[in-house]
Amino acid sequence: MLVVMKAQATPEQVRAVCEKVEKLGYKAHPMPGAQRTAIGITGNTGTVEPGTIEEMPGVGEVIHVSKPYKLVSRDVKEDQTIITFPRQGNCEEATIGGAELGIIAGPCGIESREQALAIGERVARSGAKFFRGGAYKPRTSPYSFQGMGVDGLKIMAEVRDRFGLRIVTEAVDSESLFHVEQYADVIQIGARNMQNFSLLKRAGRSKKPVLLKRGMSATLEEFLMAAEYIMSEGNYNVILCERGVRTFADHTRNTLDLSIIPAVQRLSHLPILVDPSHGTGKRNKVTPMARAAVAAGADGLIIEVHHDPDKALSDGNQSIYPDQLDALMSECRQIATILKRKVAKPLPAKSNEREIAAAR
Ligand code: PEP
Ligand code: MN
């Protein structure tokens, strides 16, 4: 159910409707838009009796939403969601979902302070504003590198302070999420956990934005329903991410499904990023698919980068070199202009660490 307020409705009228909805035993999700506010109603098993709400001051109409996903849907919120990260410390303001593409780059996993700082510096120089790195790694084998845990998070916090980069890192369960939300700017939920509903609900109770990766065999509807789980708990800052799905094709690790970009954009207001690193699994395919993702209208990219990928403890084969990141950024910058979007400029080559942070 969706309550569409009149354009001239006052904040008090919006609040009164939310209170009424809550009194009826449901949850109210006010979604302010450019023209008017819509209030999503969840927690109802059947149809909500619209009568009493329809008559309240400021209410335009009460609509029954027939799709299984509601809060993620454009029916509830027509305007594109732009997630804003306000200026803070050495980090300048950044957005995901706006005109500037959100570029996230960094190693698969945080392996040491030296590794993270070396890569972090190059990521900042490339113009990217977000640094990725796993401190908790969901590995296929229990004997593979599992991540550095809280020590890895602390290293990433240092990368943020030194280079003015926002931190994106994965939580694999509610215990790691507790630590991740204290250090990170964006909580990543990985493909393997896309349908871990208790983890999704826990992320929905966090104050930090959530990057939700598509499960490796998830349909579009399952993907959107996973985002709905997060939003239903009150966290509306959800970023979707296509990272490839399993198919019969074996020339790549996964098959990157770029057609999901326009499909998502038709149905949902949430931003969608593309991960061409896990989507292909091969270094030589990362840049071409990054270019294609930008051309297809992605709101940004998440890229694995390593200065010494042969020695990487995970995903070295798909990690590009820092010089390749610079080239990728430059190419995507040019493609983005066709779509009236932007990729942030690289920092001057000679700038030192303090200047890199100051440029942010
Ligand atoms: C990752 O980003 O390092 C990762 C494990 O991704 P995915 O969940 O898409 O496999
Ligand atoms: Mn990886």
Side-chain angles (χ1 to χ4, degrees), residues 108 132 137 278 304 315 318:
C108 179
R132 63 149 292 150
K137 295 303 307 172
H278 294 86
E304 287 189 339
D315 288 348
Q318 66 192 36

Side-chain angles (χ1 to χ4, degrees), residues 19-329:
E19 277 166 16
K20 177 81 189 174
V21 169
E22 305 268 341
K23 222 177 260 162
L24 290 169
Y26 312 124
K27 200 164 158 53
H29 306 266
M31 305 261 170
Q35 308 297 333
R36 80 274 185 292
T37 293
I39 302 165
I41 303 178
T42 61
N44 52 308
T45 38
T47 333
V48 180
E49 176 47 57
T52 45
I53 297 170
E54 220 157 35
E55 299 308 321
M56 292 181 74
V59 171
E61 52 179 335
V62 179
I63 302 170
H64 175 64
V65 180
S66 55
K67 298 199 184 77
Y69 38 86
K70 303 183 190 307
L71 304 175
V72 305
S73 164
R74 279 213 192 266
D75 295 347
V76 172
K77 184 171 180 282
E78 223 175 303
D79 310 320
Q80 191 61 26
T81 288
I82 302 176
I83 298 168
T84 303
F85 300 82
R87 185 174 236 301
Q88 191 187 17
N90 278 338
C91 298
E92 67 173 323
E93 188 180 281
T95 54
I96 293 186
E100 182 171 293
L101 300 189
I103 311 284
I104 306 168
C108 179
I110 300 300
E111 299 164 1
S112 68
R113 181 169 174 272
E114 294 65 35
Q115 173 244 22
L117 292 178
I119 301 170
E121 176 168 356
R122 292 299 306 267
V123 168
R125 284 186 191 283
S126 77
K129 292 186 179 163
F130 296 83
F131 180 75
R132 63 149 292 150
Y136 299 91
K137 295 303 307 172
R139 304 305 299 281
T140 304
S141 162
Y143 309 118
S144 302
F145 175 61
Q146 302 285 308
M148 291 178 71
V150 173
D151 289 341
L153 297 175
K154 289 184 179 157
I155 292 171
M156 277 189 276
E158 188 178 345
V159 170
R160 171 176 46 221
D161 292 345
R162 285 173 80 146
F163 305 117
L165 292 165
R166 313 271 168 177
I167 302 305
V168 181
T169 191
E170 179 166 356
V172 291
D173 50 26
S174 51
E175 191 190 328
S176 55
L177 198 147
F178 170 79
H179 297 295
V180 164
E181 69 185 344
Q182 296 179 42
Y183 290 92
D185 298 288
V186 178
I187 302 164
Q188 180 173 323
I189 303 288
R192 289 155 194 82
N193 275 316
M194 192 207 79
Q195 284 191 316
N196 181 340
F197 300 120
S198 64
L199 184 61
L200 297 175
K201 285 199 225 170
R202 174 63 184 80
R205 292 193 292 274
S206 179
K207 298 272 173 287
K208 297 280 170 78
V210 177
L211 174 81
L212 176 67
K213 297 188 96 177
R214 181 183 180 185
M216 41 194 105
S217 61
T219 63
L220 172 58
E221 186 167 306
E222 288 164 343
F223 192 17
L224 293 177
M225 289 307 288
E228 184 82 19
Y229 258 96
I230 300 169
M231 295 184 76
S232 71
E233 294 290 325
N235 188 346
Y236 307 128
N237 291 326
V238 179
I239 304 153
L240 303 171
C241 178
E242 162 62 26
R243 46 79 70 206
V245 289
R246 284 260 169 96
T247 67
F248 54 83
D250 56 5
H251 62 287
T252 49
R253 179 177 176 184
N254 292 296
T255 296
L256 192 64
D257 176 17
L258 293 181
S259 69
I260 203 162
I261 299 168
V264 162
Q265 288 168 343
R266 211 184 149 96
L267 297 174
S268 177
H269 52 84
L270 294 175
I272 171 130
L273 306 189
V274 170
D275 174 349
S277 309
H278 294 86
T280 64
K282 308 224 169 141
R283 184 175 309 133
N284 63 32
K285 296 183 175 55
V286 172
T287 300
M289 295 314 283
R291 292 193 301 249
V294 174
D299 294 299
L301 300 167
I302 175 164
I303 310 274
E304 287 189 339
V305 184
H306 203 290
H307 63 311
D308 192 1
D310 290 346
K311 298 218 181 78
L313 297 179
S314 60
D315 288 348
N317 291 345
Q318 66 192 36
S319 299
I320 60 171
Y321 287 93
D323 284 350
Q324 291 179 302
L325 176 66
D326 291 336
L328 179 156
M329 293 285 281

